[in-house]
């Protein structure tokens, strides 16, 4: 699962240079406050429900991200720190076997206690202790400490995105279509036409060299021989996906991977997750309730299997992650992130053939199975459990989504989910051989 | 499932006689208020969780019992009544196919909305409309209306008991053993010895003749030829059950029904539900948290299979429901009910051989499969779905428990649960052939 | 499950009187030979497959019935007997915990070995040793020995019926509709009209007094107060069942028990097992392949749930087992048994209102849950596992079927299956209150 | 699943050159005869059982490979050909959606018919028709026809291996450990020591260029930038795997992928498939029955998860498939194949550091997820369903096993199975970064 954060492979010196103590304290306050802001529209009841084993209750996300700082920072480096509750080491450990037993993941929704107020008190307790750490100046002598805190912040940003996607999934179970937040969408009228951008074969380098923050799975940077390819200038939109559906997309086994076709049958998939047909019109459940599907917005909440079948139907294929990174390496990081407060992908306006939407809007499925880069080594210690142990059965997604923080994303970022996953903001960009 | 309430077969005249309108209004206020009182110790988070498909969230119980009055009283008989929410007809229908589709039972814990406050507003809305009904004097002309209201109150009392047992099951999932309410147990020191009371063969009548309130499954009253038998004067206690356990009770297939033995293996049963061994001592989870098992208290939270295996080990058997009713017919209805506020079975003090604990403490498993009495007819209309359709695969329990309202129980009352059910306050009394 | 045989409660003297040694030897040869005759149409491949956990491969039935004699007769009473194979004690024990561990029931179809030839050799080996027992004259001094052999023969007859029903179920999985044996059905043209026979209330005795062979669950004979009732003179026929289907029988929840309705949904039942609609006509798979449903033949292969729903739709109910036995007590035992070699129920011809088809054709579901008669005691030893341990979750069927041996059935015989079971030759007779 | 065969991308001219008609006829007779030879030790009962959904009955393999020639050769190109049975198109289609519906895979063991004799008659019928094709000379004008026949032969060879592995799995379910064929193992005394062979970084080409027979997934041949690495000279042996087990290998989560660790818990893995400890000694079930684990033989029947965990414990990793192919490209194809008739991996004798056991003995798990090579295109038509649609959730294995035909294997051959699969002859070779 993609709750993983991972670990620095950068040296201490580099860390100190790029993350001065004062700014890390600011980042800490800012990231932690954002978790609270995301919860403002919620009632206590909304924090409790776990709608499927892959998702977690809001309350759990708030507590688990706090547990991270308590366990890996405070209990490690602050001898006087008193844990908020002895139970929480067990209740809020996600999957770190090296840190002890874990309360079973599928049971997270069984816990009415601790209450939301107690979880907030837990957060305040840890924040106070962290403030002391920042004030103590200890971090200036202890680059490893800064490093773990920085990971903890990226970890919390990941969980902020999961908090939103898990919340959306939970609200979608409710036949009354509850609204998390009133709609702030601005209607766009046009969508840029689909173009193909060509790239020539050659030796390219991909992956992170550790000069800036990275998870361990992003390195080492390494050479890769790339065949020539073409890539589409924008994401596939809902209207194009509807054309696939109308052409029998969900009924034609020849378009699907074998496992994908089995899933289509078992779960009777006929459209993206959260879509529903009403009186001949396609609606979709969003964090602002049920609204019309806008045909020029990127299609969203589709599995790898659906992305792959669409590409095959289109006469194209999904890009590999090295193709994606090669293309994205020359583009700036901007887009429709969580900061835009749309919480929904937006149409790509404009007319020229420039590369669009590489970042934000939706995570882009790649055809690359999530695996180790040549020479990959997990970091030692508990943080080595972040990434490496999930290198099986999952596919890489790139570029972040409308639920991702802009400060969290980067060129070399590798997200990963099983090919059946649909509850993330996931969509599709096409590539093809030349 | 035992969410059933059932329906009157009594004639209108009888009803008017025994439930004058004024007192029904009082009963309504009293019963409805008791539901609220039960929730006083809860946080909003506690109302949401569904810990297994057989159990329901507290919130759901509060809303469903209200839905009953809205649907079967107000929408039927008050032309000006405006429903609180059009969604609730679907969300809070339990299993009445004749009243439309139902939100799937195993999904009840997926609903964070309506919130607890909204559910309380729903209750207030319906209470206000019901107050108008009571004030209107319409009930005096409409015995059927009174009858449905009376059923609605018994229905809510049933759900009050389920609210407690479901809540206990939910809290028990939490490894921190949350406390619903501080312990008010008084320690008792002695338990009355086990005696056998003998009954001779003969034609006995059992079942209700409808002179007072009854569910339809309690009638018709009918003759039954009873062989001679003996019955124990009190419930089996925890200490006796521990002796069974120590004698390999959970490891000896010859003591078990075939299905029971399969269940013992599948779920690795080695003790009653909610028990745990700590440092060589037996503890049990109660609504007051974890406390020692008291060997002189009735054993509780055992399935039919465990009750039956214990009886076989003891060289006895479970009573039939007609045996139980024959014995109980000459005893007064008093005991450890929810009104005692213990919420836990209590030891039977004393020394003489009188019949003890027939009412209250724990529901007593009988060896009788739940089935129709000769001449049974379900009442017409939706209330006919209360009882008759569950006459398959369940066993009858008699006498009420420490979570039952005293005003809810009666001699002819037939509770029923599947033989695997353990989360009710259920225990065992023995019988034997002579 | 209904593989049970049970045990004698009759005294030794009675046994010797009614089953002289010489005739028991003849019976043995005759019953054992009939098992072989049933297998004559089979290829070795047909003996191997287990089509569901409730069914067993033909090979297993042949071996298990032999294991019975080896284990309970030869190993008990013939000191010089050498077992055919040490593995078979484990492989072919069905459910006798007191006789050691059992190869898991759902895995019986995993065993290609022993081969059919080896199983036949096993049968011959045991038959030879049994012949020595018969010749030794030991049985004349040892009534218990005769008794166990007699049970073993009834046990084998039960398995002969199961062999046929399991084989039918297995062949039905094959889309090519294999034929076990060419059709010997004679078309009948008319069916006797439905009449109701009235019985008055009174004290009746039912159950076996042990004067002739019985399983332990048939006793003790005991008094029962019976309310007045009416019972139909014949079985319900396919044409009547089709009327139920056409009237939405499988789509109307109000006709079904709650568990039955759940099953209808889960398994999408729309007709009896083995039926299929082809070009607007109802066909059914039989042991002679696919043939037309004959509307005047008894409807067959329906579950308790379907029988019960049909009865409710008809405005009647299922008989209780005491009603059935009261009625059958005055009727002779003759009917369409396995000896008629039809292997399919036959229409009741004639015009008068006499009671028809009580025996043979199809097992008749009663509304009685399978439970202990008053004073019931299982026999001591392994044979005590035959019947008593299944007294939970099953319903009683009466009268035998077209796959039952006539010499196996008797007035007090209690067959039992779960309410979901459809693969037996099971049908419905109606009763009603008066 | 690895029932796939795939298709030629080579041009017709090349095909004609390398597979002259006459020799193809010989190959056909030889390959088809070998299927029969493999079945010689079997009884009819052995052909029927399906021991898990992933495995198929022997009978099914014999019929399905025949169906291939009937469907893709005879029905396509022989206008006068009369199918043996109209049912077989449905019964013996494996997964070709483009060729119509398929009998459900998990139900293959439900079919007692057609009998083994009928399947043999089916094979004879198709062989006779194929002989006519070969004699007709049509193949000389129709290179596509030759091509499909050649694929059909490779397809049958794949199924010969599956026939053996599925048979082994089936026999292993039987607690009597049936022997397929008496042991022909020769004991070896010594095993070559483990050495590491170093390879330098560079641009290497891998994959097939289509000059000789290939499945479509082996191409196109393409350049790959390879980092420097080391690879072990031989397979890991049972003794080394026992050391892993003794060091707590199956109990230490830090050694496992997250999904692998979950599987270890769920299925309580503590040793390779088919191993059992008896009196402190490790035994293993083989096609010759139960025998001692020989510590110098390659460890076999391990999943990807176990291979990966072993490698991590050893301080190494699994090779990638490009590393494997780079190394194997300079080695001859010889080894312990099915032709050696051992049906079990054999120890690598000798002392020098040469590369050993790349071919035969056991399939070698690589760390490469099974995916498309750059520029991969499935062949058009039904044969396009062979390989491409399985490119998800599986890992590549290389080199063939002791159950593979030597004439079936080649340098570029890509076998693939899910990471949980254990019933193939699969083992492990190590690599490491330098």
């Amino acid at each position: 699962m993609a709750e993983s954060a991972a670990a620095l492979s950068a040296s201490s010196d580099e860390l100190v240079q790029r993350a001065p103590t004062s700014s890390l304290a600011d980042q800490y306050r800012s990231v932690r406050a954002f978790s609270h802001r995301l919860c403002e529209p919620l009632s206590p009841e909304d924090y409790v429900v776990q709608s499927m084993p892959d998702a977690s209750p809001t309350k759990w996300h708030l507590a688990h991200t706090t547990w991270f700082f308590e366990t890996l920072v405070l209990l490690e480096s602050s001898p006087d720190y008193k844990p908020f509750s002895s139970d929480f080491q067990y209740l809020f450990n996600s999957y770190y076997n090296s840190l002890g037993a874990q309360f079973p993941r599928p049971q997270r929704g069984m816990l009415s206690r601790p209450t939301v107020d107690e979880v907030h008190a837990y957060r305040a307790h840890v924040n106070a202790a962290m403030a002391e750490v920042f004030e103590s100046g200890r971090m200036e002598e202890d680059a490893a400490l800064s490093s773990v805190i920085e990971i903890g912040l990226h970890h919390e940003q990941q969980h902020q995105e999961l908090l939103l996607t898990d919340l959306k999934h939970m609200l979608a179970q409710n036949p009354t279509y509850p609204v998390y937040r009133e709609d702030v969408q601005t209607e766009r009228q046009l969508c840029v036409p689909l173009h193909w951008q060509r790239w020539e074969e050659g030796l390219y380098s991909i992956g992170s060299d550790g000069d800036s923050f990275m998870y361990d799975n992003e390195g080492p940077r390494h050479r890769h021989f790339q065949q020539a390819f073409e890539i589409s200038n924008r994401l596939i939109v809902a209207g194009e996906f509807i054309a696939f559906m109308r052409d029998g997309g969900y009924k034609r086994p020849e378009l699907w991977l074998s496992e994908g076709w089995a899933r289509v049958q078992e779960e009777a998939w006929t459209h993206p997750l959260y879509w529903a047909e009403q009186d001949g019109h396609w609606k979709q459940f969003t964090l602002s309730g049920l609204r019309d599907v806008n045909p020029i917005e990127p299609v969203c909440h589709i599995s790898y299997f659906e992305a792959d079948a669409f590409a095959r139907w289109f006469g194209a294929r999904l890009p590999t992650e090295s193709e994606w990174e090669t293309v994205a390496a020359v583009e700036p990081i901007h887009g429709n992130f969580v900061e835009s407060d749309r919480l929904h992908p937006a149409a790509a306006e404009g007319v020229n053939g420039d590369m669009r939407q590489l970042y934000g809007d939706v995570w882009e499925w790649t055809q690359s199975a999530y695996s180790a880069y040549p020479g990959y080594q997990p970091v030692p210690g508990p943080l080595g459990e972040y990434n490496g142990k999930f290198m099986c059965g999952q596919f890489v997604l790139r570029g972040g989504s409308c639920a991702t923080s802009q400060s969290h994303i980067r060129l070399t970022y590798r997200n990963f989910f099983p090919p059946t996953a649909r509850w993330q903001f996931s969509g599709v960009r096409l590539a093809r051989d030349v």
Side-chain angles (χ1 to χ4, degrees), chain A:
Chain A
M1 296 309 129
E3 276 172 25
S4 35
L8 279 181
S9 63
S11 72
S12 311
D13 287 350
E14 289 165 346
L15 277 169
V16 173
Q17 284 182 321
R18 74 171 184 266
T21 308
S22 63
S23 85
L24 195 56
D26 288 345
Q27 285 172 43
Y28 181 90
R29 279 184 291 271
S30 161
V31 167
R32 297 280 289 169
F34 189 63
S35 294
H36 284 239
R37 217 189 92 203
L38 289 175
C39 296
E40 278 166 12
L42 302 183
S43 307
E45 296 86 342
D46 296 322
Y47 289 74
V48 179
V49 179
Q50 178 176 36
S51 57
M52 63 172 170
D54 285 344
S56 295
T58 298
K59 213 171 60 161
W60 188 89
H61 287 298
L62 293 180
H64 167 65
T65 49
T66 304
W67 167 92
F68 187 101
F69 290 109
E70 181 174 70
T71 306
L72 293 165
V73 176
L74 297 173
L75 290 173
E76 285 295 317
S77 64
S78 298
D80 299 334
Y81 175 73
K82 288 186 63 175
F84 182 78
S85 159
S86 57
D87 294 322
F88 289 9
Q89 286 304 306
Y90 170 63
L91 286 182
F92 299 120
N93 180 357
S94 53
Y95 53 60
Y96 297 85
N97 294 308
S98 52
L99 296 172
Q102 301 116 46
F103 186 73
R105 180 179 185 130
Q107 306 297 315
R108 288 176 187 166
M110 293 294 107
L111 303 177
S112 65
R113 316 285 178 94
T115 63
V116 173
D117 284 348
E118 286 163 344
V119 168
H120 281 304
Y122 179 37
R123 291 183 68 91
H125 177 87
V126 164
N127 285 350
M130 287 295 294
E132 284 180 30
V133 171
F134 289 121
E135 283 159 22
S136 71
R138 263 188 288 139
M139 283 167 53
E140 282 158 42
E141 306 147 21
D142 187 350
L145 185 61
S146 307
S147 162
V148 174
I149 294 170
E150 194 174 12
I151 293 171
L153 295 176
H154 279 271
H155 173 255
E156 183 140 352
Q157 287 182 312
Q158 272 188 285
H159 278 280
Q160 287 163 356
E161 177 157 1
L162 291 169
L163 185 157
L164 285 170
T165 55
D166 293 359
L167 190 66
K168 184 172 181 177
H169 190 266
M170 186 272 281
L171 295 174
Q173 309 309 306
N174 196 316
T176 65
Y177 298 121
V179 171
Y180 163 69
R181 212 251 344 248
E182 284 306 322
D183 195 354
V184 297
Q185 301 294 320
T186 55
E187 281 293 323
R188 295 186 180 184
Q189 302 302 325
L190 290 170
C191 164
V192 70
L194 196 73
H195 291 293
W196 296 94
Q197 191 181 72
R198 181 182 171 114
W199 288 74
E200 298 306 327
E201 72 171 29
L203 262 187
Y204 293 86
S205 285
I206 65 164
S208 172
D209 55 12
D211 282 351
S212 57
F213 181 81
M214 60 176 272
Y215 288 154
D216 62 5
N217 64 0
E218 297 170 49
R221 187 163 176 83
H222 61 282
R223 280 164 291 172
H224 165 76
F225 185 81
Q226 177 63 58
Q227 272 71 21
F229 68 99
E230 289 187 337
I231 193 162
S232 69
N233 64 319
R234 63 156 168 80
L235 297 166
I236 293 302
V237 294
E240 288 159 339
F241 203 82
I242 288 171
F244 163 78
M245 289 158 59
R246 287 202 180 129
D247 196 36
Y250 283 96
K251 294 177 190 157
R252 293 165 53 187
E254 72 271 21
L255 297 174
W256 295 79
L257 288 167
S258 182
E259 273 193 35
W261 181 242
R263 183 62 64 124
V264 166
Q265 313 287 349
E266 285 162 22
E267 304 195 349
W269 288 354
T270 57
H271 52 71
L273 185 64
Y274 301 137
W275 285 30
E277 201 167 13
Q278 291 190 348
D279 308 324
H281 292 280
W282 285 107
K283 301 274 188 177
Q284 63 187 326
F285 179 69
T286 72
L287 283 166
S288 310
L290 199 68
R291 35 170 291 196
D292 289 336
V293 167
N294 183 342
I296 63 169
E297 286 173 358
V299 65
C300 193
H301 295 299
I302 59 172
S303 64
Y304 177 86
F305 290 133
E306 289 159 298
D308 169 81
F310 176 88
R312 192 167 291 110
W313 172 79
F314 197 93
R317 60 169 172 80
L318 301 181
T320 63
E321 66 166 325
S322 44
E323 287 168 349
W324 190 95
E325 189 169 325
T326 299
V327 172
V330 299
E331 300 288 338
I333 299 183
H334 66 75
N336 174 18
F337 292 111
V338 74
E339 288 84 354
S340 79
D341 205 25
R342 276 203 182 89
L343 303 183
H344 196 75
E349 287 184 312
V351 290
N352 68 24
D354 292 350
M355 196 54 49
R356 310 291 291 270
Q357 300 173 310
L358 278 168
Y359 292 101
D361 288 313
V362 296
W363 288 98
E364 304 179 19
W365 286 108
T366 74
Q367 72 163 236
S368 300
Y370 176 52
S371 62
Y373 282 164
Y376 166 69
Q377 286 297 332
V379 292
L383 294 178
E385 293 193 56
Y386 265 110
N387 285 296
K389 76 181 186 184
F390 301 109
M391 288 176 172
C392 166
Q394 312 211 37
F395 284 85
V396 173
L397 302 100
R398 291 298 195 109
S401 80
C402 56
T404 310
S405 290
Q406 178 152 8
S407 60
H408 182 64
I409 204 71
R410 52 196 171 268
L411 171 63
T412 57
Y413 196 102
R414 309 173 77 195
N415 199 356
F416 49 88
F417 277 94
T420 53
R422 308 173 92 200
W423 91 109
Q424 295 300 301
F425 288 92
S426 51
V428 55
R429 179 186 302 276
L430 298 179
R432 59 187 188 191
D433 299 321
V434 291

